[in-house]
Amino acid sequence: MLRVAVLRQSHTGAAAGTMTGVPTVSFSELRQLLASGRARLFDVRSREEAAAGTIPGALNIPVSELEMALNMDPAAFQTSYCAEKPKLEDKNLIFFCQMGRRGLQATQLAQGLGYTGARNYAGAYKEWLEKEG
C-alpha cells in the first residue's frame, strides 16, 4: 500500500508532523518503531499513573524529575531506573504522557539538553489505550 505524505506549512512555518516545532510520532509510526525495536519509550506521567497502565516497554520517568535524570551519569541512571541511560545521539527517543502536554514539555526539555532524537507521541497514552486497549 502506497502512502503519500503531504506537508503543510502553518503560520509559524512548522511542518505537519511537528507540534510547536517539536518532532512528533504518530500511532502507526510508533507501533512500527516498537515492533522493529527502533525506539525507546519514556512515560513521563506520575508513578501512580504509570502503575495503572502504560505502553509496553516504556520507562517511567516523571516529567518533574526528567531533567535531573537526563543529567545523571550513566551509572547513577542505571541504578535509579534499572535501564541504560539514553545517549545524546540516540534516535527515536519517544516521550509521552496521558494527553500530550507533559510529553511535549519532556521532548522540549530533552532537546534542550542535546538529545537530538527526542520526539513526542502527541496521541499520548489516551490514544494508545483507545486503539490498543
Side-chain angles (χ1 to χ4, degrees):
M1 185 168 130
L2 180 63
R3 192 169 77 183
V4 179
V6 178
L7 293 179
R8 297 181 309 263
Q9 293 293 322
S10 71
H11 67 280
T12 61
T18 65
M19 179 184 275
T20 63
V22 170
T24 59
V25 61
S26 68
F27 173 79
S28 59
E29 186 181 7
L30 178 61
R31 283 190 65 207
Q32 290 171 353
L33 288 169
L34 292 174
S36 65
R38 295 188 340 243
R40 286 198 61 192
L41 205 49
F42 298 90
D43 183 343
V44 298
R45 299 175 302 154
S46 71
R47 295 200 193 305
E48 295 76 23
E49 287 173 292
T54 191
I55 299 173
L59 177 62
N60 177 229
I61 305 177
V63 71
S64 61
E65 63 188 64
L66 184 64
E67 184 172 11
M68 178 191 70
L70 293 178
N71 280 316
M72 287 178 170
D73 66 67
F77 188 96
Q78 176 73 42
T79 299
S80 295
Y81 299 103
C82 299
E84 182 181 344
K85 181 182 175 187
K87 296 174 181 58
L88 292 176
E89 66 276 7
D90 284 350
K91 296 187 181 337
N92 297 315
L93 300 173
I94 313 293
F95 296 88
F96 73 94
C97 60
Q98 185 68 32
M99 302 291 287
R101 197 174 104 222
R102 289 173 289 175
L104 172 63
Q105 180 185 357
T107 305
Q108 291 171 322
L109 175 71
Q111 285 183 321
L113 292 173
Y115 289 88
T116 57
R119 299 172 72 188
N120 180 34
Y121 173 35
Y125 186 62
K126 181 180 186 295
E127 179 182 57
W128 182 271
L129 196 57
E130 288 169 0
K131 295 184 175 182
E132 288 289 314

